Amino acid sequence: MITVAGIKRVLPHRYPMLLVDRVDDLVPGERLTARKAVTANEPWYQDLPEGADDREHAYPSVLLVESWCQAAGVLAAWDLPNPDVLTGQVMLFGGIADVVFHHPVLPGDVLVHHVRLVRSFSDTVIFEGEAAVDGRTVLEIGRVVMAMRPATELTAEQPAVSTKEIG
Amino acid sequence: MPGAVSPVRGRPEPAADGAGTAAVLVAADEPVFPGHYPGFPIFPGVCVVEHVHLTALATLPKPGLRLAAIESTRFLSPVFPGDRLEVELAWQEKDGAWRCRAVAGTARGQAAAVRLRFTEETEEGEL
């Protein structure tokens, strides 16, 4: 088992965008099972009007995908962790395809992400899998393509005004 | 849909001419930035997809459609705090399913190409 402290040694994501809580099983280069507990205490729920029904409390679809992709990121980076986005090799998502949302996910649900590594090239990794709540598939991921790139490629694209801000 | 649960606070403003375009400012105080990433804020790719999703919801061809699938997304360049994001979106109906194809871009060029599929509320999507 890898706890959240271990996950933070691998991923650069932090609150409120660290969306993996625990890794239950990891076979390097092959597969991973991780979980994320959804709670109404996340900042996205702040502006929800009083009287919203259950459906309106559904966890944002794109964050289900982000959480799954972060789990894939743990698998991709396990052998070469780099929790700093400003140096070395960073993970970039090049593309996502065939993602199907089957059921809404609500506060109190625990997402269990199943990530399988399909193919690995020199600097590109392809994943597939699904996410389940209480054994029921809520999300299918057909393909996620992740590329490892030098951090300088990303920092070079940043507009000048923001570069000043990070000094 | 102001007030809906969403990782982004900005809301795309559809163009008045109904041409299927919308624009939104990616404000520096978007709640995702402190954690994505500390010291180097980049607008998450899924949040660009969310702006396409919100633009789609604001231009629904018929009521009651909800997001069923992300058929594809290609991330082409990063989006940073202060960027103005423009979304160009076109709806298409085929075999009873509604799809939209969109390109989102900043002043520096295309940021993402996205294809979404929508469905009418059905039992499969029930709680």
Side-chain angles (χ1 to χ4, degrees):
Chain A
M1 185 185 83
I2 302 161
T3 58
V4 72
I7 292 167
K8 287 163 94 168
R9 283 195 285 273
V10 178
L11 292 183
H13 307 72
R14 292 296 182 266
Y15 179 88
M17 277 301 275
L18 178 59
L19 303 181
V20 185
D21 293 323
R22 185 180 292 174
V23 174
D24 292 295
D25 183 38
L26 187 155
V27 181
E30 197 176 311
R31 63 186 151 85
L32 165 147
T33 304
R35 62 176 100 171
K36 187 254 181 305
V38 170
T39 157
N41 210 19
E42 293 184 47
W44 340 117
Y45 287 95
Q46 189 175 345
D47 298 328
L48 195 61
E50 199 56 38
D53 63 16
D54 278 341
R55 164 75 72 171
E56 291 169 289
H57 282 79
Y59 200 65
S61 300
V62 299
L63 290 186
L64 299 177
V65 177
E66 173 70 19
S67 177
W68 192 96
C69 287
Q70 289 183 17
V74 173
L75 180 56
W78 189 247
D79 298 324
L80 202 75
N82 179 19
D84 181 359
V85 283
L86 294 176
T87 60
Q89 294 282 111
V90 297
M91 270 183 300
L92 300 176
F93 282 101
I96 296 172
D98 302 324
V99 172
V100 184
F101 304 103
H102 286 292
H103 298 282
V105 173
L106 297 181
D109 285 341
V110 176
L111 283 161
V112 177
H113 296 309
H114 300 281
V115 178
R116 294 179 294 279
L117 193 154
V118 180
R119 292 182 77 176
S120 181
F121 306 97
S122 58
D123 59 356
T124 304
V125 192
I126 299 174
F127 300 98
E128 64 169 22
E130 58 279 325
V133 172
D134 293 330
R136 181 169 82 159
T137 300
V138 294
L139 171 74
E140 272 179 84
I141 303 272
R143 187 168 73 249
V144 162
V145 180
M146 193 186 293
M148 305 300 286
R149 294 276 185 271
T152 48
E153 239 175 69
L154 202 56
T155 49
E157 289 208 54
Q158 200 182 31
V161 61
S162 305
T163 308
K164 274 184 209 153
E165 278 169 16
I166 65 162
Chain B
M1 43 184 327
V5 180
S6 174
V8 297
R9 202 163 273 168
R11 288 292 176 267
E13 297 275 346
D17 61 3
T21 62
V24 61
L25 173 73
V26 177
D29 62 357
E30 280 285 343
V32 293
F33 283 131
H36 196 280
Y37 300 96
F40 189 63
I42 306 174
F43 201 50
V46 297
C47 290
V48 177
V49 176
E50 176 70 353
H51 275 314
V52 171
H53 178 211
L54 293 170
T55 302
L57 292 176
T59 61
L60 282 185
K62 65 183 287 191
L65 296 177
R66 65 168 182 86
L67 181 65
I70 299 171
E71 295 197 329
S72 75
T73 294
R74 274 182 304 130
F75 297 112
L76 304 167
S77 70
V79 177
F80 297 110
D83 278 345
R84 184 171 180 272
L85 192 68
E86 288 196 29
V87 178
E88 261 186 64
L89 181 149
W91 282 98
Q92 197 178 41
E93 188 192 15
K94 202 183 163 192
D95 306 327
W98 283 95
R99 289 181 168 82
C100 68
R101 192 181 279 268
V103 172
T106 66
R108 292 180 307 282
Q110 294 192 349
V114 181
R115 282 192 293 136
L116 304 178
R117 187 171 76 240
F118 283 70
T119 184
E120 295 178 53
E121 302 284 349
T122 59
E123 227 164 85
E124 194 186 33
E126 292 301 309
L127 301 172

